[in-house]
PDB file of all heavy atoms in Angstrom:
ATOM      1  N   ARG Q   1     -59.384 -36.583  53.597  1.00  0.00           N
ATOM      2  CA  ARG Q   1     -59.521 -35.450  52.697  1.00  0.00           C
ATOM      3  C   ARG Q   1     -60.901 -35.520  52.060  1.00  0.00           C
ATOM      4  O   ARG Q   1     -61.238 -36.508  51.424  1.00  0.00           O
ATOM      5  CB  ARG Q   1     -58.422 -35.474  51.636  1.00  0.00           C
ATOM      6  CG  ARG Q   1     -57.031 -35.294  52.275  1.00  0.00           C
ATOM      7  CD  ARG Q   1     -55.935 -35.553  51.313  1.00  0.00           C
ATOM      8  NE  ARG Q   1     -55.868 -36.980  51.017  1.00  0.00           N
ATOM      9  CZ  ARG Q   1     -54.916 -37.525  50.284  1.00  0.00           C
ATOM     10  NH1 ARG Q   1     -53.972 -36.783  49.775  1.00  0.00           N
ATOM     11  NH2 ARG Q   1     -54.913 -38.816  50.042  1.00  0.00           N
ATOM     12  N   GLU Q   2     -61.672 -34.479  52.233  1.00  0.00           N
ATOM     13  CA  GLU Q   2     -63.042 -34.466  51.710  1.00  0.00           C
ATOM     14  C   GLU Q   2     -63.079 -34.318  50.197  1.00  0.00           C
ATOM     15  O   GLU Q   2     -63.872 -34.948  49.518  1.00  0.00           O
ATOM     16  CB  GLU Q   2     -63.838 -33.344  52.364  1.00  0.00           C
ATOM     17  CG  GLU Q   2     -65.323 -33.490  52.209  1.00  0.00           C
ATOM     18  CD  GLU Q   2     -65.879 -34.743  52.882  1.00  0.00           C
ATOM     19  OE1 GLU Q   2     -65.336 -35.184  53.906  1.00  0.00           O
ATOM     20  OE2 GLU Q   2     -66.861 -35.283  52.354  1.00  0.00           O
ATOM     21  N   ASN Q   3     -62.241 -33.458  49.660  1.00  0.00           N
ATOM     22  CA  ASN Q   3     -62.140 -33.280  48.209  1.00  0.00           C
ATOM     23  C   ASN Q   3     -60.678 -33.487  47.830  1.00  0.00           C
ATOM     24  O   ASN Q   3     -59.807 -32.787  48.329  1.00  0.00           O
ATOM     25  CB  ASN Q   3     -62.586 -31.875  47.793  1.00  0.00           C
ATOM     26  CG  ASN Q   3     -64.044 -31.653  48.098  1.00  0.00           C
ATOM     27  OD1 ASN Q   3     -64.899 -32.288  47.516  1.00  0.00           O
ATOM     28  ND2 ASN Q   3     -64.326 -30.779  49.040  1.00  0.00           N
ATOM     29  N   LEU Q   4     -60.439 -34.425  46.947  1.00  0.00           N
ATOM     30  CA  LEU Q   4     -59.075 -34.771  46.553  1.00  0.00           C
ATOM     31  C   LEU Q   4     -58.958 -34.710  45.043  1.00  0.00           C
ATOM     32  O   LEU Q   4     -59.704 -35.379  44.328  1.00  0.00           O
ATOM     33  CB  LEU Q   4     -58.718 -36.179  47.051  1.00  0.00           C
ATOM     34  CG  LEU Q   4     -57.385 -36.753  46.591  1.00  0.00           C
ATOM     35  CD1 LEU Q   4     -56.221 -35.904  47.103  1.00  0.00           C
ATOM     36  CD2 LEU Q   4     -57.260 -38.195  47.052  1.00  0.00           C
ATOM     37  N   PHE Q   5     -58.056 -33.887  44.552  1.00  0.00           N
ATOM     38  CA  PHE Q   5     -57.762 -33.824  43.129  1.00  0.00           C
ATOM     39  C   PHE Q   5     -56.441 -34.561  42.929  1.00  0.00           C
ATOM     40  O   PHE Q   5     -55.413 -34.127  43.440  1.00  0.00           O
ATOM     41  CB  PHE Q   5     -57.612 -32.369  42.657  1.00  0.00           C
ATOM     42  CG  PHE Q   5     -58.866 -31.560  42.818  1.00  0.00           C
ATOM     43  CD1 PHE Q   5     -59.088 -30.818  43.960  1.00  0.00           C
ATOM     44  CD2 PHE Q   5     -59.824 -31.554  41.819  1.00  0.00           C
ATOM     45  CE1 PHE Q   5     -60.247 -30.078  44.114  1.00  0.00           C
ATOM     46  CE2 PHE Q   5     -60.985 -30.811  41.959  1.00  0.00           C
ATOM     47  CZ  PHE Q   5     -61.198 -30.074  43.114  1.00  0.00           C
ATOM     48  N   VAL Q   6     -56.468 -35.660  42.222  1.00  0.00           N
ATOM     49  CA  VAL Q   6     -55.270 -36.446  41.980  1.00  0.00           C
ATOM     50  C   VAL Q   6     -54.572 -35.907  40.743  1.00  0.00           C
ATOM     51  O   VAL Q   6     -55.217 -35.654  39.719  1.00  0.00           O
ATOM     52  CB  VAL Q   6     -55.628 -37.941  41.793  1.00  0.00           C
ATOM     53  CG1 VAL Q   6     -54.388 -38.767  41.508  1.00  0.00           C
ATOM     54  CG2 VAL Q   6     -56.342 -38.451  43.039  1.00  0.00           C
ATOM     55  N   ALA Q   7     -53.272 -35.703  40.843  1.00  0.00           N
ATOM     56  CA  ALA Q   7     -52.504 -35.142  39.740  1.00  0.00           C
ATOM     57  C   ALA Q   7     -52.566 -36.049  38.519  1.00  0.00           C
ATOM     58  O   ALA Q   7     -52.343 -37.254  38.628  1.00  0.00           O
ATOM     59  CB  ALA Q   7     -51.052 -34.941  40.161  1.00  0.00           C
ATOM     60  N   PRO Q   8     -52.882 -35.491  37.357  1.00  0.00           N
ATOM     61  CA  PRO Q   8     -52.914 -36.300  36.140  1.00  0.00           C
ATOM     62  C   PRO Q   8     -51.498 -36.530  35.608  1.00  0.00           C
ATOM     63  O   PRO Q   8     -50.565 -35.812  35.972  1.00  0.00           O
ATOM     64  CB  PRO Q   8     -53.706 -35.419  35.161  1.00  0.00           C
ATOM     65  CG  PRO Q   8     -53.406 -34.035  35.614  1.00  0.00           C
ATOM     66  CD  PRO Q   8     -53.285 -34.112  37.114  1.00  0.00           C
ATOM     67  N   THR Q   9     -51.354 -37.525  34.764  1.00  0.00           N
ATOM     68  CA  THR Q   9     -50.091 -37.759  34.070  1.00  0.00           C
ATOM     69  C   THR Q   9     -50.269 -37.315  32.631  1.00  0.00           C
ATOM     70  O   THR Q   9     -51.213 -37.733  31.958  1.00  0.00           O
ATOM     71  CB  THR Q   9     -49.713 -39.256  34.102  1.00  0.00           C
ATOM     72  OG1 THR Q   9     -49.566 -39.658  35.464  1.00  0.00           O
ATOM     73  CG2 THR Q   9     -48.424 -39.509  33.351  1.00  0.00           C
ATOM     74  N   TYR Q  10     -49.390 -36.459  32.145  1.00  0.00           N
ATOM     75  CA  TYR Q  10     -49.427 -36.008  30.762  1.00  0.00           C
ATOM     76  C   TYR Q  10     -48.318 -36.729  30.003  1.00  0.00           C
ATOM     77  O   TYR Q  10     -47.181 -36.779  30.455  1.00  0.00           O
ATOM     78  CB  TYR Q  10     -49.214 -34.501  30.659  1.00  0.00           C
ATOM     79  CG  TYR Q  10     -50.269 -33.673  31.366  1.00  0.00           C
ATOM     80  CD1 TYR Q  10     -49.932 -32.517  32.031  1.00  0.00           C
ATOM     81  CD2 TYR Q  10     -51.597 -34.063  31.348  1.00  0.00           C
ATOM     82  CE1 TYR Q  10     -50.894 -31.754  32.667  1.00  0.00           C
ATOM     83  CE2 TYR Q  10     -52.574 -33.312  31.985  1.00  0.00           C
ATOM     84  CZ  TYR Q  10     -52.212 -32.157  32.642  1.00  0.00           C
ATOM     85  OH  TYR Q  10     -53.179 -31.412  33.277  1.00  0.00           O
ATOM     86  N   ALA Q  11     -48.651 -37.288  28.876  1.00  0.00           N
ATOM     87  CA  ALA Q  11     -47.683 -38.018  28.061  1.00  0.00           C
ATOM     88  C   ALA Q  11     -47.879 -37.632  26.599  1.00  0.00           C
ATOM     89  O   ALA Q  11     -48.856 -36.980  26.245  1.00  0.00           O
ATOM     90  CB  ALA Q  11     -47.876 -39.522  28.241  1.00  0.00           C
ATOM     91  N   SER Q  12     -46.947 -38.048  25.764  1.00  0.00           N
ATOM     92  CA  SER Q  12     -47.038 -37.750  24.345  1.00  0.00           C
ATOM     93  C   SER Q  12     -46.579 -38.960  23.536  1.00  0.00           C
ATOM     94  O   SER Q  12     -45.678 -39.691  23.962  1.00  0.00           O
ATOM     95  CB  SER Q  12     -46.160 -36.548  24.003  1.00  0.00           C
ATOM     96  OG  SER Q  12     -46.179 -36.299  22.619  1.00  0.00           O
ATOM     97  N   ALA Q  13     -47.205 -39.161  22.395  1.00  0.00           N
ATOM     98  CA  ALA Q  13     -46.829 -40.270  21.519  1.00  0.00           C
ATOM     99  C   ALA Q  13     -45.516 -40.003  20.793  1.00  0.00           C
ATOM    100  O   ALA Q  13     -44.880 -40.919  20.292  1.00  0.00           O
ATOM    101  CB  ALA Q  13     -47.939 -40.530  20.503  1.00  0.00           C
ATOM    102  N   SER Q  14     -45.095 -38.740  20.735  1.00  0.00           N
ATOM    103  CA  SER Q  14     -43.839 -38.405  20.070  1.00  0.00           C
ATOM    104  C   SER Q  14     -42.921 -37.681  21.042  1.00  0.00           C
ATOM    105  O   SER Q  14     -43.343 -37.194  22.079  1.00  0.00           O
ATOM    106  CB  SER Q  14     -44.107 -37.529  18.841  1.00  0.00           C
ATOM    107  OG  SER Q  14     -44.709 -36.319  19.237  1.00  0.00           O
ATOM    108  N   ALA Q  15     -41.659 -37.598  20.676  1.00  0.00           N
ATOM    109  CA  ALA Q  15     -40.652 -36.960  21.530  1.00  0.00           C
ATOM    110  C   ALA Q  15     -40.833 -35.446  21.552  1.00  0.00           C
ATOM    111  O   ALA Q  15     -41.435 -34.860  20.667  1.00  0.00           O
ATOM    112  CB  ALA Q  15     -39.256 -37.304  21.020  1.00  0.00           C
ATOM    113  N   SER Q  16     -40.286 -34.830  22.558  1.00  0.00           N
ATOM    114  CA  SER Q  16     -40.193 -33.380  22.689  1.00  0.00           C
ATOM    115  C   SER Q  16     -41.526 -32.671  22.843  1.00  0.00           C
ATOM    116  O   SER Q  16     -41.695 -31.538  22.395  1.00  0.00           O
ATOM    117  CB  SER Q  16     -39.427 -32.771  21.506  1.00  0.00           C
ATOM    118  OG  SER Q  16     -38.133 -33.312  21.452  1.00  0.00           O
ATOM    119  N   GLN Q  17     -42.500 -33.290  23.470  1.00  0.00           N
ATOM    120  CA  GLN Q  17     -43.752 -32.597  23.798  1.00  0.00           C
ATOM    121  C   GLN Q  17     -43.489 -31.717  25.003  1.00  0.00           C
ATOM    122  O   GLN Q  17     -43.094 -32.211  26.043  1.00  0.00           O
ATOM    123  CB  GLN Q  17     -44.859 -33.603  24.118  1.00  0.00           C
ATOM    124  CG  GLN Q  17     -46.181 -32.967  24.464  1.00  0.00           C
ATOM    125  CD  GLN Q  17     -46.793 -32.224  23.281  1.00  0.00           C
ATOM    126  OE1 GLN Q  17     -46.884 -32.758  22.197  1.00  0.00           O
ATOM    127  NE2 GLN Q  17     -47.193 -31.002  23.508  1.00  0.00           N
ATOM    128  N   THR Q  18     -43.686 -30.425  24.894  1.00  0.00           N
ATOM    129  CA  THR Q  18     -43.420 -29.480  25.976  1.00  0.00           C
ATOM    130  C   THR Q  18     -44.714 -28.886  26.488  1.00  0.00           C
ATOM    131  O   THR Q  18     -45.528 -28.408  25.700  1.00  0.00           O
ATOM    132  CB  THR Q  18     -42.499 -28.341  25.479  1.00  0.00           C
ATOM    133  OG1 THR Q  18     -41.280 -28.915  25.007  1.00  0.00           O
ATOM    134  CG2 THR Q  18     -42.217 -27.349  26.590  1.00  0.00           C
ATOM    135  N   PHE Q  19     -44.893 -28.938  27.792  1.00  0.00           N
ATOM    136  CA  PHE Q  19     -45.999 -28.257  28.450  1.00  0.00           C
ATOM    137  C   PHE Q  19     -45.388 -27.068  29.174  1.00  0.00           C
ATOM    138  O   PHE Q  19     -44.682 -27.251  30.161  1.00  0.00           O
ATOM    139  CB  PHE Q  19     -46.711 -29.180  29.443  1.00  0.00           C
ATOM    140  CG  PHE Q  19     -47.331 -30.381  28.799  1.00  0.00           C
ATOM    141  CD1 PHE Q  19     -46.622 -31.560  28.657  1.00  0.00           C
ATOM    142  CD2 PHE Q  19     -48.624 -30.325  28.317  1.00  0.00           C
ATOM    143  CE1 PHE Q  19     -47.186 -32.669  28.061  1.00  0.00           C
ATOM    144  CE2 PHE Q  19     -49.209 -31.431  27.704  1.00  0.00           C
ATOM    145  CZ  PHE Q  19     -48.488 -32.605  27.580  1.00  0.00           C
ATOM    146  N   THR Q  20     -45.616 -25.869  28.691  1.00  0.00           N
ATOM    147  CA  THR Q  20     -45.018 -24.688  29.302  1.00  0.00           C
ATOM    148  C   THR Q  20     -45.522 -24.489  30.727  1.00  0.00           C
ATOM    149  O   THR Q  20     -44.771 -24.167  31.624  1.00  0.00           O
ATOM    150  CB  THR Q  20     -45.299 -23.444  28.450  1.00  0.00           C
ATOM    151  OG1 THR Q  20     -44.810 -23.691  27.140  1.00  0.00           O
ATOM    152  CG2 THR Q  20     -44.623 -22.220  29.029  1.00  0.00           C
ATOM    153  N   LYS Q  21     -46.811 -24.684  30.926  1.00  0.00           N
ATOM    154  CA  LYS Q  21     -47.405 -24.634  32.261  1.00  0.00           C
ATOM    155  C   LYS Q  21     -48.411 -25.769  32.367  1.00  0.00           C
ATOM    156  O   LYS Q  21     -49.143 -26.037  31.422  1.00  0.00           O
ATOM    157  CB  LYS Q  21     -48.106 -23.306  32.515  1.00  0.00           C
ATOM    158  CG  LYS Q  21     -47.164 -22.119  32.568  1.00  0.00           C
ATOM    159  CD  LYS Q  21     -47.919 -20.849  32.885  1.00  0.00           C
ATOM    160  CE  LYS Q  21     -46.934 -19.678  32.934  1.00  0.00           C
ATOM    161  NZ  LYS Q  21     -47.610 -18.427  33.290  1.00  0.00           N
ATOM    162  N   ALA Q  22     -48.449 -26.424  33.509  1.00  0.00           N
ATOM    163  CA  ALA Q  22     -49.419 -27.486  33.749  1.00  0.00           C
ATOM    164  C   ALA Q  22     -49.863 -27.380  35.206  1.00  0.00           C
ATOM    165  O   ALA Q  22     -49.059 -27.110  36.081  1.00  0.00           O
ATOM    166  CB  ALA Q  22     -48.807 -28.851  33.475  1.00  0.00           C
ATOM    167  N   ALA Q  23     -51.148 -27.555  35.452  1.00  0.00           N
ATOM    168  CA  ALA Q  23     -51.676 -27.440  36.806  1.00  0.00           C
ATOM    169  C   ALA Q  23     -52.780 -28.455  37.026  1.00  0.00           C
ATOM    170  O   ALA Q  23     -53.565 -28.726  36.112  1.00  0.00           O
ATOM    171  CB  ALA Q  23     -52.221 -26.033  37.049  1.00  0.00           C
ATOM    172  N   THR Q  24     -52.848 -29.020  38.215  1.00  0.00           N
ATOM    173  CA  THR Q  24     -53.949 -29.906  38.567  1.00  0.00           C
ATOM    174  C   THR Q  24     -55.209 -29.097  38.813  1.00  0.00           C
ATOM    175  O   THR Q  24     -56.302 -29.492  38.425  1.00  0.00           O
ATOM    176  CB  THR Q  24     -53.585 -30.743  39.800  1.00  0.00           C
ATOM    177  OG1 THR Q  24     -52.402 -31.491  39.497  1.00  0.00           O
ATOM    178  CG2 THR Q  24     -54.699 -31.697  40.166  1.00  0.00           C
ATOM    179  N   VAL Q  25     -55.066 -27.951  39.457  1.00  0.00           N
ATOM    180  CA  VAL Q  25     -56.188 -27.031  39.677  1.00  0.00           C
ATOM    181  C   VAL Q  25     -55.708 -25.630  39.323  1.00  0.00           C
ATOM    182  O   VAL Q  25     -54.653 -25.204  39.774  1.00  0.00           O
ATOM    183  CB  VAL Q  25     -56.673 -27.042  41.145  1.00  0.00           C
ATOM    184  CG1 VAL Q  25     -57.754 -26.007  41.372  1.00  0.00           C
ATOM    185  CG2 VAL Q  25     -57.167 -28.430  41.542  1.00  0.00           C
ATOM    186  N   ALA Q  26     -56.471 -24.924  38.531  1.00  0.00           N
ATOM    187  CA  ALA Q  26     -56.135 -23.551  38.176  1.00  0.00           C
ATOM    188  C   ALA Q  26     -57.363 -22.679  38.382  1.00  0.00           C
ATOM    189  O   ALA Q  26     -58.472 -23.077  38.047  1.00  0.00           O
ATOM    190  CB  ALA Q  26     -55.672 -23.464  36.721  1.00  0.00           C
ATOM    191  N   ILE Q  27     -57.162 -21.522  38.957  1.00  0.00           N
ATOM    192  CA  ILE Q  27     -58.230 -20.550  39.163  1.00  0.00           C
ATOM    193  C   ILE Q  27     -57.888 -19.350  38.302  1.00  0.00           C
ATOM    194  O   ILE Q  27     -56.850 -18.725  38.492  1.00  0.00           O
ATOM    195  CB  ILE Q  27     -58.336 -20.151  40.651  1.00  0.00           C
ATOM    196  CG1 ILE Q  27     -58.579 -21.391  41.509  1.00  0.00           C
ATOM    197  CG2 ILE Q  27     -59.424 -19.110  40.855  1.00  0.00           C
ATOM    198  CD1 ILE Q  27     -58.452 -21.158  42.998  1.00  0.00           C
ATOM    199  N   SER Q  28     -58.745 -19.026  37.338  1.00  0.00           N
ATOM    200  CA  SER Q  28     -58.406 -17.989  36.374  1.00  0.00           C
ATOM    201  C   SER Q  28     -58.365 -16.592  36.991  1.00  0.00           C
ATOM    202  O   SER Q  28     -57.571 -15.763  36.595  1.00  0.00           O
ATOM    203  CB  SER Q  28     -59.383 -18.001  35.200  1.00  0.00           C
ATOM    204  OG  SER Q  28     -60.671 -17.620  35.635  1.00  0.00           O
ATOM    205  N   ALA Q  29     -59.232 -16.326  37.956  1.00  0.00           N
ATOM    206  CA  ALA Q  29     -59.274 -15.003  38.576  1.00  0.00           C
ATOM    207  C   ALA Q  29     -60.295 -15.015  39.704  1.00  0.00           C
ATOM    208  O   ALA Q  29     -61.031 -15.985  39.889  1.00  0.00           O
ATOM    209  CB  ALA Q  29     -59.654 -13.942  37.554  1.00  0.00           C
ATOM    210  N   ALA Q  30     -60.350 -13.915  40.403  1.00  0.00           N
ATOM    211  CA  ALA Q  30     -61.405 -13.717  41.402  1.00  0.00           C
ATOM    212  C   ALA Q  30     -62.717 -13.454  40.654  1.00  0.00           C
ATOM    213  O   ALA Q  30     -62.707 -13.163  39.454  1.00  0.00           O
ATOM    214  CB  ALA Q  30     -61.053 -12.530  42.289  1.00  0.00           C
ATOM    215  N   PRO Q  31     -63.860 -13.547  41.328  1.00  0.00           N
ATOM    216  CA  PRO Q  31     -65.133 -13.236  40.664  1.00  0.00           C
ATOM    217  C   PRO Q  31     -65.089 -11.851  40.021  1.00  0.00           C
ATOM    218  O   PRO Q  31     -64.495 -10.912  40.559  1.00  0.00           O
ATOM    219  CB  PRO Q  31     -66.149 -13.271  41.801  1.00  0.00           C
ATOM    220  CG  PRO Q  31     -65.539 -14.171  42.810  1.00  0.00           C
ATOM    221  CD  PRO Q  31     -64.058 -13.925  42.725  1.00  0.00           C
ATOM    222  N   ILE Q  32     -65.713 -11.745  38.850  1.00  0.00           N
ATOM    223  CA  ILE Q  32     -65.689 -10.509  38.067  1.00  0.00           C
ATOM    224  C   ILE Q  32     -66.984  -9.736  38.296  1.00  0.00           C
ATOM    225  O   ILE Q  32     -68.070 -10.299  38.246  1.00  0.00           O
ATOM    226  CB  ILE Q  32     -65.506 -10.832  36.576  1.00  0.00           C
ATOM    227  CG1 ILE Q  32     -64.169 -11.548  36.380  1.00  0.00           C
ATOM    228  CG2 ILE Q  32     -65.595  -9.572  35.725  1.00  0.00           C
ATOM    229  CD1 ILE Q  32     -64.014 -12.200  35.031  1.00  0.00           C
ATOM    230  N   GLN Q  33     -66.837  -8.459  38.543  1.00  0.00           N
ATOM    231  CA  GLN Q  33     -68.002  -7.596  38.763  1.00  0.00           C
ATOM    232  C   GLN Q  33     -68.691  -7.337  37.437  1.00  0.00           C
ATOM    233  O   GLN Q  33     -68.125  -6.760  36.529  1.00  0.00           O
ATOM    234  CB  GLN Q  33     -67.537  -6.294  39.408  1.00  0.00           C
ATOM    235  CG  GLN Q  33     -68.656  -5.355  39.777  1.00  0.00           C
ATOM    236  CD  GLN Q  33     -68.124  -4.188  40.599  1.00  0.00           C
ATOM    237  OE1 GLN Q  33     -67.538  -4.384  41.642  1.00  0.00           O
ATOM    238  NE2 GLN Q  33     -68.343  -2.987  40.107  1.00  0.00           N
ATOM    239  N   GLY Q  34     -69.936  -7.788  37.320  1.00  0.00           N
ATOM    240  CA  GLY Q  34     -70.700  -7.619  36.094  1.00  0.00           C
ATOM    241  C   GLY Q  34     -71.654  -6.439  36.188  1.00  0.00           C
ATOM    242  O   GLY Q  34     -71.623  -5.653  37.144  1.00  0.00           O
TER     243      GLY Q  34
END
């Protein structure tokens, strides 16, 4: 694999930490016409 993104581990020091959405790679949108 030429480019490898390894999934991170998310943790919390206290109970009940909720991540509604989590992604290793996220693309916000296609290029925007300026």
Side-chain angles (χ1 to χ4, degrees):
R1 296 170 289 186
E2 197 63 32
N3 296 294
L4 173 63
F5 297 93
V6 179
T9 299
Y10 299 143
S12 177
S14 62
S16 301
Q17 180 66 49
T18 301
F19 298 90
T20 304
K21 294 183 180 182
T24 301
V25 175
I27 302 170
S28 67
I32 299 166
Q33 184 171 302

